[in-house]
Amino acid sequence: MFNQNQIYNIFNQQQIQAQLQQMQQQYHNQQIWKVIDCANKLDDFLKSAEDIDAQYQQLAFTECCAVLGKHMQIKM
């Protein structure tokens, strides 16, 4: 007997769904690692800023603002 729904059986929907979920989980895990990496770099930055003598802190602030401004221009 001819199956009228034969076209729908070409793709294994469960397998496709499982692969999609796996891809989403991998993306999520990558993003979590990027968040952790970013937080660690911020911690390193703040520790390095603490080592700057008071007379040079204004210069460091000015340079950091320049970097932030550059990134804001790129994103907009």
Side-chain angles (χ1 to χ4, degrees):
M1 176 178 227
F2 180 73
N3 185 354
Q4 292 180 354
N5 294 326
Q6 188 174 12
I7 189 75
Y8 298 110
N9 293 327
I10 291 176
F11 302 106
N12 183 337
Q13 209 50 30
Q14 290 178 340
Q15 182 180 3
I16 293 171
Q17 187 67 23
Q19 287 175 344
L20 179 61
Q21 287 175 347
Q22 181 182 12
M23 289 171 51
Q24 290 171 335
Q25 186 64 45
Q26 287 174 343
Y27 175 77
H28 172 76
N29 292 343
Q30 289 172 346
Q31 293 304 304
I32 294 297
W33 281 111
K34 286 181 180 186
V35 168
I36 292 168
D37 186 47
C38 181
N40 288 336
K41 288 178 181 179
L42 177 60
D43 185 56
D44 290 343
F45 165 75
L46 294 173
K47 286 177 182 175
S48 70
E50 291 171 356
D51 292 337
I52 298 172
D53 287 336
Q55 63 192 28
Y56 293 96
Q57 286 180 357
Q58 183 61 46
L59 176 61
F61 178 75
T62 301
E63 291 299 317
C64 290
C65 286
V67 171
L68 286 170
K70 180 180 174 183
H71 277 270
M72 289 175 66
Q73 288 177 347
I74 292 171
K75 299 294 181 185
M76 293 183 165

